[in-house]
Amino acid sequence: MNIVSMLVIYNDKGEILLQDRANIKTVWEDYSFFGGHLEQWETPDETLQREIKEELDIELNTWDYEFLGIWNKNVYKTGKNYDIYFYLYRADQDVFTDREGSGASFWEISQAKRNKFVAPFEDILDFLEIKIKDVLRSAGKK
C-alpha cells in the first residue's frame, strides 16, 4: 500500500503554502503540499513530523496540526493509487526555508487550483477553501 502524509499550511489570509517542485519533480507536478511517503514502521503522524522537519526545518507536535482525513488518489503517469493523509497547520510566519524544493510561497486557493499537482487535488482544494474559511471565521480572523 502506498501511503503519504501531507501538511496543508495556511495563513490568516486564508492562503496555502505550496512547494515549488519544478526542479525536483518526480512525475510532472510543478507544485505540491509538504510531506512524503511513509517509511517502514512509521505511523502517518510520524511521517508528517519527519518530512516537515526535513523539508521546512519545523518541529511539529501532534497538537500543532489537525487531521483532515484520508483521500485516495491516483498519481498521474505512474497509475499508482495512494492513500494521502492530509493535515492542517496554521502558520505563524510568512517566510519559510524550503530545504527540498525550489521555494515555498503562499497562494490564494483559487489561484492554486490552476497549478499542476502530482494528483487531481481539485476536491481537496475545494474542501480546504471551505475548511480554512470556517477555521478563520471561528478564530475571528475573517
Side-chain angles (χ1 to χ4, degrees):
M1 182 179 298
N2 299 306
I3 298 175
V4 174
S5 291
M6 305 292 282
L7 186 65
V8 178
I9 300 171
Y10 71 98
N11 63 19
D12 287 343
K13 298 178 196 171
E15 300 167 325
I16 56 174
L17 188 71
L18 296 178
Q19 180 184 51
D20 183 341
R21 297 181 58 84
N23 294 327
I24 63 162
K25 55 185 160 189
T26 56
V27 184
W28 70 274
E29 77 279 9
D30 287 337
Y31 293 93
S32 185
F33 300 106
F34 291 89
H37 293 88
L38 208 74
E39 297 289 342
Q40 190 174 15
W41 311 113
E42 275 185 329
T43 67
D45 278 294
E46 290 168 337
T47 299
L48 182 73
Q49 292 171 14
R50 176 183 52 77
E51 288 284 348
I52 298 308
K53 177 65 177 161
E54 289 173 7
E55 295 178 9
L56 293 170
D57 197 26
I58 295 174
E59 296 276 351
L60 286 179
N61 296 300
T62 55
W63 58 83
D64 292 331
Y65 53 86
E66 175 186 352
F67 176 65
L68 296 175
I70 305 167
W71 277 260
N72 184 272
K73 293 293 178 183
N74 184 277
V75 173
Y76 297 127
K77 293 198 176 188
T78 68
K80 294 180 183 176
N81 282 321
Y82 285 81
D83 283 336
I84 304 174
Y85 286 66
F86 273 96
Y87 300 85
L88 190 63
Y89 173 79
R90 188 181 67 76
D92 291 329
Q93 60 199 73
D94 294 325
V95 178
F96 290 83
T97 301
D98 180 3
R99 297 167 56 180
E100 183 178 283
S102 302
S105 56
F106 281 102
W107 291 73
E108 291 181 14
I109 294 176
S110 61
Q111 297 295 318
K113 290 178 182 180
R114 298 180 187 147
N115 293 333
K116 288 195 303 190
F117 290 92
V118 70
F121 284 160
E122 295 85 2
D123 58 336
I124 294 166
L125 291 167
D126 288 342
F127 171 80
L128 289 170
E129 200 162 28
I130 295 166
K131 174 67 175 175
I132 292 170
K133 280 181 186 176
D134 287 346
V135 169
L136 292 173
R137 189 176 306 115
S138 66
K141 301 282 185 183
K142 272 201 165 188

